[in-house]
Amino acid sequence: MNIGKAAAASGVSAKMIRYYESIGLLPAARRTDAGYRFYTDEDVHVLRFIRRARDLGFAVADIGELLALWRDQGRASADVKRIALGHVAALERKIAELQGMVDTLHALAEHCHGDARPDCPILADLDARGVPASCGSGPAREVGE
């Protein structure tokens, strides 16, 4: 099948298929006499594997390792589990970071009057110098005033 059909069958765009080939996640496609890429059902199966791993947020390097383990019938499942749990830990760190951002923004928004005054605790927090910022003219006030 051509790249368009492989893309439709796998849910991976043609651009990403070419990228995965270029970095070695997917073997280089066979070519027709006219030079067009030709994909097999097995190639589509690999692309679906890659897509599912990407949907779960695995990094390309981890996907490469997972593909190698998937292809290795003598693999130890402990190796697969190690990669998965490492990814879980990274996701949990990211969730904690995002929750911290949400909490900070909620606190800043609670201290924002949201009226016509120029005082802006949100901008004051974003000010890299640590000096309270003003949304307009006039003196800035500390968060919580």
Side-chain angles (χ1 to χ4, degrees), residues 25 103 115:
L25 279 185
D103 294 346
D115 56 18

Side-chain angles (χ1 to χ4, degrees), residues 29-143:
R30 294 178 193 90
R31 298 282 182 151
T32 66
D33 291 339
Y36 293 107
R37 287 176 167 89
F38 178 82
Y39 297 92
T40 64
D41 289 338
E42 179 60 25
D43 294 327
V44 170
H45 191 76
V46 171
L47 286 166
R48 287 180 182 147
F49 182 100
I50 293 168
R51 176 164 183 229
R52 178 66 178 140
R54 291 299 289 161
D55 288 348
L56 291 172
F58 281 100
V60 171
D62 288 338
I63 295 171
E65 284 187 64
L66 290 167
L67 276 168
L69 289 165
W70 180 54
R71 291 176 177 131
D72 177 7
Q73 295 302 310
R75 69 186 166 260
S77 63
D79 294 332
V80 180
K81 185 175 182 175
R82 174 188 47 79
I83 295 167
L85 290 178
H87 184 53
V88 167
L91 288 171
E92 287 173 339
R93 283 189 301 275
K94 187 65 173 177
I95 290 167
E97 291 171 9
L98 291 170
Q99 188 59 56
M101 289 181 218
V102 167
D103 294 346
T104 298
L105 288 169
H106 272 288
L108 289 169
E110 284 178 16
H111 289 96
C112 181
H113 295 287
D115 56 18
R117 292 187 273 182
D119 305 334
C120 189
I122 299 167
L123 291 180
D125 186 79
L126 295 174
D127 186 353
R129 295 170 295 170
V131 177
S134 176
C135 290
S137 60
R141 296 187 328 176
E142 292 293 329
V143 173

